[in-house]
Amino acid sequence: MVTTVIGIGLLGGSYALSLRDKYPKMHFIGVDASDVHGRLAVAKGIVDEVLPMGIAIPNSDLVVLAVPVNYIVELLPRVLDLISDTATVVDLGSTKQLICEVADAHPKRHRFVAAHPMAGTENSGPSAAFRELLPEKNVILCDCEKSDADSVALVEALFKDIGMKIHYMTPAEHDLHLAYVSHLSHVTSFALGYTVLEKERDEQNIFDMASTGFSSTVRLAKSSPAMWAPIFDQNRENLSRALGDYIEFLQQYKTFIDDRDIKASVDFMQRANEIRRILSGIDRK
Amino acid sequence: MVTTVIGIGLLGGSYALSLRDKYPKMHFIGVDASDVHGRLAVAKGIVDEVLPMGIAIPNSDLVVLAVPVNYIVELLPRVLDLISDTATVVDLGSTKQLICEVADAHPKRHRFVAAHPMAGTENSGPSAAFRELLPEKNVILCDCEKSDADSVALVEALFKDIGMKIHYMTPAEHDLHLAYVSHLSHVTSFALGYTVLEKERDEQNIFDMASTGFSSTVRLAKSSPAMWAPIFDQNRENLSRALGDYIEFLQQYKTFIDDRDIKASVDFMQRANEIRRILSGIDRK
């Protein structure tokens, strides 16, 4: 079986590394806009060779789209044009609605499976890829009823074989939930990093006074703007609502501080504490 | 040497555990409002015995105040009343201005040293204490010129011996910087947890879709309201300004999303990315 991974970064690279462990005979072709990343991916054993898209895709059984979501939208129709009739295309993008709409407009839509593995780090590029990223994590598949049964079966089998747990929902549900559980936390973290940098001009102070608590909260502020700007843009309606909700709660909490309303402040934090119960175990996911 | 730790929780307990490693002959007395915590602290080997404050303090060479900051303000005058003339009192509170003002009003002010170790986790109580919490971390001392030289020397020596790095600043500087680098990140995390719980009512969805990124950003939302409400209240002016700044930047960013201004969105994130350079190494602190 020949698998082509388009975009050999953190996610595409980690997926390939996990698959290689399970399927030593699978042949991996990498496609990447960056020659440096391509060479690094071969050197790191992520893929066997790097080829231009037009050569790689017609000879592949599986094509994995692991580029930023704006490029997925751009490349998906071209990839579907190029595949053989029996090949399967899967994307790993963090948004699903626009990507599925683009797929729906293509005559080979039935060979496409829309997927989103719930995993990542604040790092990017092939050097950030590691085989432990995906196992034990969740992956969401959308609109499977629009895909051929054999394509879904292949994609499901591969995710399961590398130890992922599969969930199913519509693209609209996916994007709404992700706005709250993922995209919002990225924005709050970017804004925290931005505020501290703008207002706390003495960098030595930041370094000396930052505890691991600050470091944890601001970790996602290190994430790649090239990856996240198009995600936020594609999911702008849900994200804008989530951000509006968040700002409203923050303003509410600020009045508790200003009014010295300790009881309201404690109640607010106690409600937030309930996240502990829900998340227990997430760090081990 | 006899050391009394008032409040044998995460911080007081971890401090005692670190000191015991370095000074096996030091005798540790615990004082705690909770009998359960007191018994647990003895069972865990954090302190040798638990005694009432009025008995423990007059016989101690060092008294460590490691209770929530509202209780530090309440207890500090009573502790200074009770100590022998040669004993030293140190507090480990997360605010410094009000605590130092309270100390300044006491005739034995010169036996007091104001300290804040920059370390913690989202957990609390003696069962959360561990000997690795403080080593390698930073600690800030305030207003040392108001303390006797021998008291400062003792407190510095103990922090240094357990591997901490000491910094000096005024209480006003401390509280201002901490508002941005610590208190703000706690509030943003509490508000993130609160928003997701309020708006994403299906807890299974939160669990399934939350990645380690969300988990990291929301970690501090698990923190103790009883500890943080008084910190936020004592530092309300600085925190309110920091929160106001943060909300303003968030609103700005929301307009970039609503206006689909990708360039402004990327610029904002790239500025936030600079936190990576400053924090590199913090996670190992």
Side-chain angles (χ1 to χ4, degrees):
Chain A
M1 181 168 156
V2 176
T3 296
T4 289
V5 180
I6 304 179
I8 331 162
L10 168 69
L11 197 54
S14 297
Y15 183 55
L17 286 172
S18 295
L19 286 178
R20 294 194 86 115
D21 279 354
K22 286 280 164 188
Y23 305 97
K25 287 184 188 161
M26 202 184 271
H27 184 78
F28 284 86
I29 304 172
V31 173
D32 205 289
S34 153
D35 290 343
V36 175
H37 281 186
R39 278 195 296 272
L40 198 58
V42 173
K44 227 187 138 178
I46 296 173
V47 294
D48 296 296
E49 58 181 331
V50 171
L51 290 173
M53 213 168 84
I55 298 169
I57 294 177
N59 298 304
S60 296
D61 304 292
L62 176 69
V63 178
V64 181
L65 267 165
V67 288
V69 292
N70 53 326
Y71 292 113
I72 294 182
V73 164
E74 203 180 298
L75 289 177
L76 181 55
R78 286 169 58 194
V79 169
L80 287 171
D81 286 344
L82 287 168
I83 54 166
S84 75
D85 289 344
T86 57
T88 294
V89 178
V90 63
D91 88 297
L92 309 182
S94 291
T95 55
K96 288 273 93 45
Q97 200 147 10
L98 184 62
I99 291 169
C100 285
E101 279 169 27
V102 167
D104 288 348
H106 198 280
K108 286 195 194 156
R109 169 38 182 122
H110 54 102
R111 301 308 301 167
F112 170 68
V113 180
H116 178 202
M118 307 279 105
T121 74
E122 70 276 28
N123 303 312
S124 49
S127 55
F130 60 107
R131 48 175 45 74
E132 297 82 9
L133 178 65
L134 295 173
E136 308 299 315
K137 306 281 169 54
N138 292 300
V139 55
I140 293 164
L141 301 187
C142 293
D143 274 357
C144 283
E145 70 286 358
K146 297 184 181 173
S147 314
D148 287 345
D150 67 308
S151 289
V152 175
L154 173 67
V155 169
E156 286 177 338
L158 297 180
F159 281 133
K160 274 184 198 154
D161 285 348
I162 62 171
M164 298 195 76
K165 287 162 276 183
I166 303 178
H167 303 268
Y168 303 87
M169 55 184 73
T170 66
E173 284 169 342
H174 171 278
D175 284 13
L176 172 65
H177 294 312
L178 261 285
Y180 284 93
V181 177
S182 166
H183 306 170
L184 178 60
S185 60
H186 280 80
V187 173
T188 67
S189 195
F190 278 120
L192 178 63
Y194 191 94
T195 305
V196 170
L197 287 161
E198 282 296 308
K199 296 293 170 176
E200 182 67 81
R201 290 289 177 155
D202 185 336
E203 297 189 355
Q204 189 59 42
N205 263 335
I206 303 178
F207 183 78
D208 290 341
M209 306 185 84
S211 66
T212 50
F214 174 70
S215 181
S216 164
T217 318
V218 85
R219 177 164 75 83
L220 296 180
K222 305 173 190 172
S223 304
S224 157
M227 172 181 163
W228 285 98
I231 292 173
F232 297 158
D233 185 52
Q234 288 189 13
N235 202 20
R236 62 192 171 278
E237 284 175 30
N238 290 314
L239 177 57
S240 181
R241 195 172 321 117
L243 255 176
D245 292 336
Y246 179 73
I247 291 171
E248 204 182 306
F249 288 133
L250 264 186
Q251 275 165 332
Q252 215 175 80
Y253 191 74
K254 184 171 177 295
T255 66
F256 302 156
I257 299 293
D258 291 337
D259 299 346
R260 305 195 62 182
D261 188 343
I262 308 269
K263 189 188 170 305
S265 166
V266 168
D267 288 348
F268 186 97
M269 288 189 271
Q270 277 174 343
R271 170 68 170 139
N273 276 173
E274 291 172 34
I275 205 77
R276 177 189 288 266
R277 177 176 45 78
I278 299 173
L279 291 191
S280 67
I282 284 273
D283 291 317
R284 295 188 301 276
K285 267 203 322 200
Chain B
M1 181 169 156
V2 176
T3 297
T4 289
V5 180
I6 304 180
I8 330 164
L10 168 69
L11 197 54
S14 297
Y15 184 53
L17 285 171
S18 296
L19 284 179
R20 293 193 85 115
D21 279 353
K22 285 283 165 186
Y23 305 97
K25 289 184 187 161
M26 202 183 272
H27 184 78
F28 284 86
I29 304 172
V31 173
D32 205 289
S34 153
D35 289 344
V36 174
H37 281 186
R39 277 195 296 273
L40 197 59
V42 173
K44 227 188 137 176
I46 296 174
V47 294
D48 297 296
E49 57 182 332
V50 171
L51 290 174
M53 212 169 84
I55 298 169
I57 294 177
N59 298 303
S60 296
D61 304 292
L62 176 69
V63 178
V64 182
L65 268 165
V67 287
V69 293
N70 52 326
Y71 293 113
I72 294 182
V73 164
E74 203 180 298
L75 289 177
L76 181 54
R78 285 169 58 195
V79 169
L80 287 171
D81 286 343
L82 286 168
I83 54 166
S84 76
D85 289 344
T86 56
T88 294
V89 179
V90 62
D91 88 296
L92 308 182
S94 290
T95 55
K96 289 273 91 48
Q97 199 146 9
L98 184 62
I99 292 169
C100 286
E101 278 168 26
V102 167
D104 288 347
H106 198 280
K108 285 195 193 156
R109 161 71 184 89
H110 53 103
R111 301 309 300 168
F112 170 68
V113 180
H116 179 202
M118 307 280 104
T121 74
E122 70 276 27
N123 303 314
S124 48
S127 55
F130 59 107
R131 48 175 45 75
E132 298 82 10
L133 178 65
L134 295 173
E136 307 299 315
K137 307 282 168 53
N138 292 300
V139 55
I140 292 165
L141 302 187
C142 293
D143 274 356
C144 283
E145 69 287 356
K146 296 183 181 174
S147 314
D148 287 345
D150 67 309
S151 289
V152 175
L154 172 66
V155 169
E156 286 177 338
L158 296 180
F159 281 133
K160 273 183 199 156
D161 285 349
I162 63 171
M164 298 194 76
K165 287 163 275 182
I166 303 177
H167 303 269
Y168 304 87
M169 55 184 74
T170 66
E173 284 169 343
H174 170 277
D175 284 13
L176 172 65
H177 294 312
L178 260 287
Y180 284 92
V181 176
S182 166
H183 306 170
L184 178 60
S185 60
H186 280 80
V187 173
T188 66
S189 195
F190 278 120
L192 178 63
Y194 190 94
T195 305
V196 170
L197 287 161
E198 282 296 308
K199 297 293 170 177
E200 182 66 83
R201 291 286 177 156
D202 185 336
E203 297 190 354
Q204 189 59 45
N205 263 334
I206 302 178
F207 183 79
D208 289 343
M209 306 186 84
S211 66
T212 51
F214 175 69
S215 181
S216 164
T217 318
V218 86
R219 178 164 74 82
L220 296 180
K222 304 174 190 170
S223 305
S224 157
M227 173 180 163
W228 285 98
I231 293 172
F232 297 158
D233 184 53
Q234 287 189 14
N235 202 20
R236 63 191 171 277
E237 285 176 28
N238 290 315
L239 177 57
S240 181
R241 195 172 322 116
L243 256 176
D245 292 335
Y246 180 73
I247 291 170
E248 204 182 306
F249 288 131
L250 265 186
Q251 275 165 331
Q252 215 175 81
Y253 191 73
K254 184 170 177 296
T255 66
F256 302 155
I257 300 292
D258 292 336
D259 299 345
R260 306 195 62 182
D261 188 342
I262 307 269
K263 189 188 171 305
S265 166
V266 167
D267 287 348
F268 186 97
M269 289 190 271
Q270 277 173 342
R271 170 68 170 138
N273 277 173
E274 291 172 34
I275 206 76
R276 178 189 287 266
R277 176 176 46 77
I278 298 174
L279 291 191
S280 66
I282 285 274
D283 290 318
R284 293 187 302 275
K285 267 203 322 198

